[in-house]
């Protein structure tokens, strides 16, 4: 049992070293989390159809009864029924 644990530890250390070496050689870095604000400083708006947040500048808009709604895609915009029904 002890030999199995030692073998597992050695395999894990080997994998860690090899993956670190490959990342260094290829220049791949772990993905950083997305910024809280977009580069343009846009505010995030919530899609009323699916609930996804999207930068206002990238959103697809639809005006319903004088109120502008923001959508993540044309599919969500077309599927939204909201106040129209």
């Amino acid at each position: 049992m002890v030999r199995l644990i030692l073998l597992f530890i050695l395999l894990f250390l080997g994998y860690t070293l090899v993956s670190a070496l490959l990342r260094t050689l290829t220049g791949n870095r772990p993905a950083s989390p997305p910024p809280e604000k977009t580069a343009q400083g846009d505010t995030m708006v919530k899609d009323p159809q699916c609930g996804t947040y999207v930068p206002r500048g990238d959103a697809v808009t639809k005006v319903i009864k004088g109120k502008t709604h923001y959508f993540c895609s044309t599919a969500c915009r077309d599927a939204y029924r909201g106040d129209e029904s």
Side-chain angles (χ1 to χ4, degrees):
M1 183 68 165
V2 173
R3 287 183 184 176
L4 184 62
I5 293 172
L6 288 175
L7 178 64
F8 177 75
I9 291 171
L10 287 174
L11 288 173
F12 177 74
L13 289 175
Y15 170 77
T16 304
L17 289 173
V18 168
S19 63
L21 180 64
L22 288 175
R23 267 193 309 244
T24 303
L25 293 175
T26 60
N28 291 341
R29 304 278 184 252
S32 61
E36 291 183 18
K37 284 189 173 182
T38 62
Q40 297 81 18
D42 282 347
T43 55
M44 302 296 278
V45 292
K46 187 176 181 181
D47 182 328
Q49 176 66 23
C50 68
T52 302
Y53 285 90
V54 62
R56 183 176 291 191
D58 295 339
V60 178
T61 60
K62 183 175 186 179
V63 178
I64 301 172
K65 295 185 180 178
K67 184 177 178 188
T68 303
H69 297 275
Y70 299 94
F71 300 92
C72 65
S73 66
T74 55
C76 280
R77 180 196 62 198
D78 296 342
Y80 182 69
R81 295 291 174 218
D83 300 337
E84 295 180 318
S85 307

